[in-house]
Each structure stands twice: as structure tokens, then as C-alpha cells.
Amino acid sequence: MAGRSPEATMTLEAFADTIVPGEKRSPDDRAVAGAAEGPGAVAAGALELLDWSATGVTPMLGDLVRRLGEHAEAFAAGEGLTLDASVPPFVALTFAQRTALVRRLLAPGHPEKEFWVLLTLFSNMAYDSAAHTETADAMAAGHPGLLAMGFSQPDPDGLWRFPRYSYGRPLARLHPATTPSGSPE
């Protein structure tokens, strides 16, 4: 999002990385904790998806970043932790601490649960479906989530065809008026 501070970007990346962890982009990466091998939600475009107006969350991201920082500070105080002031509060937490805090925010009865569920869903969605980009473009760019799931590449003309039936047989007979391209007449 144009105009988002580096601190806000780091906080949103740290949240997305908590949901679908990935490997650090560099040794000094603080937002991505490096809790898993391979790319995670951040590399899959979680921030691009959050910035897409179709999600409906874009206008509230600044407030969510602020709230997440406040929750991180309260978590740290409750745990007797001293946070590194050189990075945003949520980013200063370890991966295990981030996970514990997010678990609290997503718990039944938490008054802000629906907001954190949205951020969680969009972090997953960026990885699982590349919803913020055309599927053919995502595949051409080597989208990590689609590749990890074994999503097939399109045919050379950019269309997906499935010459083998997933159940080993056709599910229905073709209508006699179906054209060779698969369209009805």
C-alpha cells in the first residue's frame, strides 16, 4: 500500500509469516522469523493481497497494525519480556511468542477475533490460491503455494485441460452439441 510505513509493513509481514511461516529472505530479516524451510505467506504475496481493495480490509490495516503492536506490548508485559525497541513490538517477539499471541487473538470470545480471523484467512489465501493475481501469471512466476500444492501448469496456450479424469472416468457424457473447444453450440 502506498504510504504504509516500513514498521507497518514489517508488522503485517510478521503476522502473515506467523500464519504461513517461511524462510528468512536474508540473515537480517526480522519480519520473517525463518520458522520453516521454503517460502511462506510473505513470499506468496500476502501484503499484495491485503492491499487489494477487493478484500475489504485495506482501509483498516493501519488500525490493525496499531492494535497488533498494543497486543504485543501487553503480551510482553504479561510474560515479563523486554522488547527490542528497534523494531515494531510484534516483530520483536520470537516466532513462538508470536504464535502464542495470535492464538489468543483468535480464541473464541476475544472481542477482536473477527479482525484477526480476516488477516489469518488472507495470509492463507495468498499462499493457497494466489487470489491477488491471475492463476496463469502466478504459475509463470513460480508462486510458492501453488507449486507446493502441485498445481499443474497450463497448456502452452495458457489454458488448463485435464486429459485424464481425476476419478479415472468421465463424470458425465458430453452433450452432443458440444464443440471441439468444449463450448455448447
Side-chain angles (χ1 to χ4, degrees), residues 18-59:
T18 304
I19 304 307
V20 183
E23 62 192 14
K24 287 181 173 281
R25 297 166 287 190
S26 67
D28 60 342
D29 191 349
R30 295 288 303 270
V32 176
E37 291 183 22
V42 174
L47 268 61
E48 291 86 351
L49 180 59
L50 289 171
D51 287 338
W52 185 28
S53 63
T55 63
V57 300
T58 307

Side-chain angles (χ1 to χ4, degrees), residues 17-111:
D17 180 65
T18 304
I19 304 307
V20 183
E23 62 192 14
K24 287 181 173 281
R25 297 166 287 190
S26 67
D28 60 342
D29 191 349
R30 295 288 303 270
V32 176
E37 291 183 22
V42 174
L47 268 61
E48 291 86 351
L49 180 59
L50 289 171
D51 287 338
W52 185 28
S53 63
T55 63
V57 300
T58 307
M60 69 174 90
L61 290 176
D63 187 47
L64 292 175
V65 166
R66 180 186 56 75
R67 289 173 187 248
L68 191 54
E70 291 169 354
H71 286 297
E73 289 170 344
F75 176 88
E79 299 291 318
L81 304 172
T82 301
L83 297 177
D84 177 353
S86 70
V87 293
F90 188 76
V91 177
L93 297 174
T94 66
F95 181 76
Q97 293 162 347
R98 292 176 188 178
T99 302
L101 174 55
V102 169
R103 188 175 292 122
R104 289 181 190 178
L105 297 175
L106 294 171
H110 191 283

